[in-house]
Each structure stands twice: as structure tokens, then as C-alpha cells.
Amino acid sequence: MQYEDEYSTARHQDLNCEFPDGQIYTVEDISPLWAQSNLESEEIISGDLDLILPANTMVDHARGKIKLNGPPELRNRPDKGKRRKLAQVGDRTVLVVRVQAPENIQTSNTMAELADSVFGADSGFPRANDPVNLRSQYKECSYEKLRFGVAANRVRVATNYGGTDISNGAVTVDVTSPVGDGHVNMRNDISAKLNNMFGVSSPTELADYLMYCLPPGTMRGIAYAFYDSWMSVYSDVWCTYVSAQVHEIGHNLNLGHSNENGAYNDQSGMMGLSYSQSNTPAMCFNAAKSWQLGWYEGTNQVKTISLGGTRDYVGQLSGIINYNSADVTNNLSNTNPILIKLNQNQSPDDYYITYNAKASFNSGTMEGGNQVMVVRARGEGNRPAKSELVAKLSALGSYTITGFDGTQDSATIEYKFALVNAVLLQHLHLLRHLFKHLPPPPQQAPHHHLFTHLLPLPHQAPHHHRFKH
């Protein structure tokens, strides 16, 4: 679980155990550093792991806590375990949950307002017109490969629990847990009520993803979500802010935080900080997260550079907004790379490069707009590893990785200049940023290109590489 605080860069990561009915209990006395390190090493795979509790473990149903009596056994399910995560594509449904607590304390927004903030006009509510929302931003960034839709309308089978029917992707739930009991009790109360109201064994029978919008004062932070899961939880109006929506659902999609100098300060994409604004910022994800989501793979616009494979790239680099773009009038297509991975086999860290074009559905990027961005991350782009922004390059800027892949080789990224031909920009809707090849081959005429190059020492003997699993 990732727990976000407002007004600070603090975060909390807990180990939680989900029961078949959707109740999620927090395991106490687990070090956050232990949880993070085991996630990155795949000893813990969220959603794929059975937690075998030791004898005499105390399960506190009233508080939603598990008190261990010794270390638990972590057992990967036979049909899952360590594997390549598939691209996040397809149609997914979302249910937004409004909450009515005792003493008439309730989520500030109405069902219609919540649905509008998540789905916009697609919610189906009259006068719904939110222009930038969870559905629209994922649809744009993925080029319609990941489409979030409203949960199906559904009538309650039991009305004695209060609440409402599901309508246009939203529902109201009456809980018995007071605000003072906190968010853990309330989220489990919500899950139990949904099961009873609609005659299901788990809330996951109602939608692929559920957003619990808690009344004000229930939780100290602004929002949190569970890795590779279906639940995200928000403090009241934060449920309506697009950056919080995209960020928390991103955790559900198995994305980790985007960091810069430690805490998640990489503001170039949605897995950094969140903002208390409804329709802004319109932005996507950094290079490591974009690689992990898998929306652009399978084309020549995604490249891998490594010592054992393609060792360099000389050419143009475009932004995510230029994926598969074309100039129909002049019969031109943009086949420039938009993502480059510098793959290391002897080191757990890899590097990811993109051009952060500040335009279109990425026009609100809060950092590094129209710069070449270099991000370091573990997990091979498959797991919820945190990423670290290590370089933002403007024209004539460069970044060198020494000791690349455990050798004496180096990897150099140099951004030479931007083309300024206005006609070209108008036709292709991009700024082309080029790397410079160092050193240029003797037979090659001088040119200016964006480039990623691995330089072996002249005396270095051939060596072998062990691939990571």
C-alpha cells in the first residue's frame, strides 16, 4: 500500500493482507524498508502472494489489524510468481463510492459530481462535462489502449443497509463506522456493505476498480492505493482531483513512485506529487513508467541499448505525444523513437530516456517541459519499483553513466539542439531533439543527432554478460 500525505513528501508503505470478501487488514510491526526491498527483489509480489500466518497470530477485526507472532511465510501462488507483467491495456470498469457516515458526516461531493470528475461527460449524468479526468487522461496517454468505463448500473438486492443503487458509475454507501474510527475501519465497512447491498461475495464483482471517497476527517493523508489491486482510497475532495486519481489508480496498475533526490518529487509525470486541482495538470508518466505500462511497445519507436545488443543510437527523439503520429498532407510518418532503455545485465538499475514534449495531453507537465529526461529504475520495467529522475537535458546538455553494466564502459547521452523549422514543426507537431555521436565514424559526414552511446576501452577484452531474471 502507498499512503500519500498532503503538504509533504512523506509516504508510508505497509504490508496488507486481503481476504476473499475484500476486507483488507494491515500487518503490524513490518518495517516499511523491508516491504520496499522485498517488493523490488520480487520476494513480495503484490496480488500474487499468499501470506501464511504463524500460530497464535492475533487478528483484530475491530481495528482491521494483524498482529504477528513471529515472521510470516511468504508463498507465491503456483500459477503466478515471478513473471513478465503484461501491458496494461483493454477495457476496465470503475465504481466511485460516496460515503455517508454517522452523525450526518458525508463525502462532500454528490454522486453526480464524483462521477463527472472521474468519467466526464461519459458518466451519463446530466450536465457532466469535466474536461480532464481519470478516464480522459488514461485514454489520451495510452492512445485508447487502456479505457476506463463506468461500472454497470445495478439495483440493490437488500435495501435495509441504506445507500443507493449503482448509477452511472457511482454509488452511495451508508456505514456504521464513525469518522473517528479511521480509514482502515471505514474502508472495510464499505466493502462489507457493498457485499450486503448487492449480494456479492466481494466488491470486485461490481467493478474492476473501486474508488472509496471517504468523508472529511477520516484520514490524515490525501489518498492511498494497493499495488496490483482494485482499491484506492481518498480523503474527501481529493477523489475529484485528476492527479490524485491517475496517481492512485497507477499504483493499482503496479506503478511505483517517481522520485527525484529521494522523496517523490519528479513532477514530470503523474507518479510524483499530486495537486489539489480538478482539471489540471494534464500530463502522462515518466519514461520508466511509460515503459512499464507497455502502451508503445511492439513498434520501432521503442528501443533498447545494451552492451550485448544494439550499442548506440544516432537520430531523432520525439515525445510520447508523437507516438505513431503522421503528417497526412505531406505523406510523412513520425517513426522517431519516443522511449529508449539503456539496459544493464550486471546491475539492477536500468536507465530510460524520453523527450518530455510539453503539448497536447502532456501540456501540464510540471517539470522538465521540452527537455530530454533521463530516469533510473530497477525491476526491468515490470515491477512497482520507484524511479529516480537523474538528468534533465536542454540543448547542448549531456549526461554520462560511468561504469556502465559493471564494466569500464560509459554511456553518454548528449542533446545537441532543436530544429526550428516552423513548417516542419507545424506538419509533424513536434520539436525534434537530436543527439551527437561521439566520436563520429571516420567515413561519416558531420551531423547533429541525439545519441546514446556505450564506449568500450580500446584495450578491453571481450566479456560475457549474465542476464537478469
Side-chain angles (χ1 to χ4, degrees):
M1 177 183 81
Q2 287 287 358
Y3 187 91
E4 328 290 348
D5 276 338
E6 188 179 9
Y7 311 124
S8 78
T9 55
R11 65 167 178 248
H12 308 283
Q13 188 158 274
D14 299 321
L15 180 64
N16 295 268
C17 184
E18 179 181 348
F19 291 86
D21 61 357
Q23 302 282 306
I24 299 178
Y25 286 19
T26 299
V27 181
E28 293 188 315
D29 302 325
I30 293 291
S31 163
L33 292 177
W34 178 89
Q36 178 66 38
S37 64
N38 279 276
L39 274 170
E40 292 185 357
S41 67
E42 283 194 315
E43 293 302 316
I44 295 177
I45 304 177
S46 183
D48 293 358
L49 188 76
D50 287 329
L51 184 67
I52 310 302
L53 303 177
N56 300 319
T57 291
M58 301 295 294
V59 180
D60 188 341
H61 296 282
R63 296 173 54 242
K65 304 285 187 180
I66 297 175
K67 181 73 172 178
L68 297 176
N69 183 35
E73 178 186 350
L74 306 177
R75 184 181 300 168
N76 287 321
R77 297 174 186 171
D79 59 332
K80 298 196 176 183
K82 299 180 182 181
R83 69 203 193 284
R84 171 70 166 93
K85 292 289 184 181
L86 299 178
Q88 297 287 359
V89 299
D91 293 299
R92 316 281 178 87
T93 55
V94 178
L95 178 60
V96 192
V97 181
R98 182 176 182 272
V99 182
Q100 173 76 49
E103 300 178 352
N104 200 33
I105 302 176
Q106 56 194 310
T107 307
S108 298
N109 296 94
T110 65
M111 284 172 51
E113 291 168 343
L114 291 173
D116 186 19
S117 74
V118 173
F119 307 109
D122 292 315
S123 72
F125 277 106
R127 296 182 295 280
N129 61 0
D130 191 299
V132 183
N133 51 70
L134 174 79
R135 172 179 166 82
S136 68
Q137 204 58 25
Y138 271 103
K139 180 180 177 182
E140 295 272 18
C141 294
S142 72
Y143 287 82
E144 299 193 33
K145 292 182 179 179
L146 179 58
R147 301 170 296 275
F148 288 112
V150 300
N153 291 347
R154 193 157 181 161
V155 177
R156 289 164 291 167
V157 299
T159 58
N160 55 308
Y161 294 99
T164 68
D165 299 333
I166 296 175
S167 177
N168 297 321
V171 66
T172 293
V173 173
D174 292 352
V175 297
T176 55
S177 299
V179 166
D181 281 359
H183 62 94
V184 174
N185 276 12
M186 188 169 288
R187 78 178 183 222
N188 285 333
D189 196 351
I190 294 169
S191 296
K193 291 297 191 301
L194 287 170
N195 291 346
N196 292 329
M197 290 164 60
F198 296 100
V200 295
S201 59
S202 169
T204 56
E205 296 180 41
L206 303 174
D208 295 312
Y209 300 97
L210 286 89
M211 302 170 62
Y212 289 2
C213 308
L214 306 188
T218 309
M219 56 186 287
R220 179 175 60 88
I222 62 175
Y224 64 86
F226 299 89
Y227 283 131
D228 200 15
S229 182
W230 53 273
M231 182 194 294
S232 55
V233 181
Y234 307 80
S235 180
D236 197 35
V237 295
W238 281 91
C239 212
T240 67
Y241 299 149
V242 63
S243 59
Q245 296 169 355
V246 174
H247 181 112
E248 301 307 335
I249 295 296
H251 286 317
N252 289 160
L253 297 174
N254 229 21
L255 299 181
H257 278 136
S258 297
N259 296 342
E260 182 182 5
N261 297 321
Y264 49 121
N265 285 327
D266 176 359
Q267 300 177 65
S268 66
M270 286 294 199
M271 296 311 295
L273 296 175
S274 294
Y275 307 86
S276 55
Q277 300 167 317
S278 177
N279 298 317
T280 60
M283 57 182 178
C284 296
F285 301 93
N286 71 17
K289 312 307 180 191
S290 295
W291 186 284
Q292 181 179 343
L293 288 163
W295 294 330
Y296 319 109
E297 63 186 19
T299 72
N300 60 1
Q301 292 190 270
V302 177
K303 291 187 177 294
T304 299
I305 306 297
S306 67
L307 287 173
T310 302
R311 297 176 61 91
D312 58 37
Y313 170 70
V314 180
Q316 302 167 8
L317 180 70
S318 295
I320 296 299
I321 64 168
N322 301 115
Y323 171 67
N324 203 28
S325 60
D327 175 8
V328 178
T329 302
N330 294 283
N331 195 30
L332 298 173
S333 62
N334 176 19
T335 59
N336 300 333
I338 59 173
L339 284 175
I340 299 176
K341 179 185 180 185
L342 275 63
N343 191 66
Q344 300 191 100
N345 296 317
Q346 304 300 321
S347 168
D349 293 320
D350 298 310
Y351 292 82
Y352 301 84
I353 307 167
T354 192
Y355 169 59
N356 190 29
K358 188 172 183 177
S360 187
F361 49 81
N362 196 54
S363 61
T365 182
M366 303 295 285
E367 181 178 7
N370 298 328
Q371 291 184 291
V372 173
M373 310 293 278
V374 184
V375 173
R376 182 180 66 237
R378 298 187 174 187
E380 286 294 338
N382 302 333
R383 305 193 296 275
K386 59 189 177 184
S387 62
E388 182 76 20
L389 176 60
V390 296
K392 296 178 289 186
L393 304 181
S394 298
L396 303 180
S398 66
Y399 180 75
T400 298
I401 306 164
T402 59
F404 187 82
D405 208 3
T407 69
Q408 296 183 32
D409 294 355
S410 63
T412 298
I413 306 155
E414 183 175 357
Y415 166 14
K416 187 60 179 176
F417 64 84
L419 296 178
V420 292
N421 187 318
V423 175
L424 179 63
L425 292 175
Q426 179 182 357
H427 287 328
L428 295 182
H429 306 292
L430 60 90
L431 285 172
R432 288 180 167 179
H433 290 328
L434 310 179
F435 289 86
K436 180 181 178 183
H437 191 290
L438 296 178
Q443 75 278 10
Q444 188 171 356
H447 59 277
H448 301 286
H449 289 293
L450 177 72
F451 152 48
T452 307
H453 187 58
L454 304 179
L455 274 165
L457 294 179
H459 62 272
Q460 186 172 352
H463 52 274
H464 301 282
H465 302 287
R466 178 176 56 84
F467 285 86
K468 289 181 288 189
H469 297 287

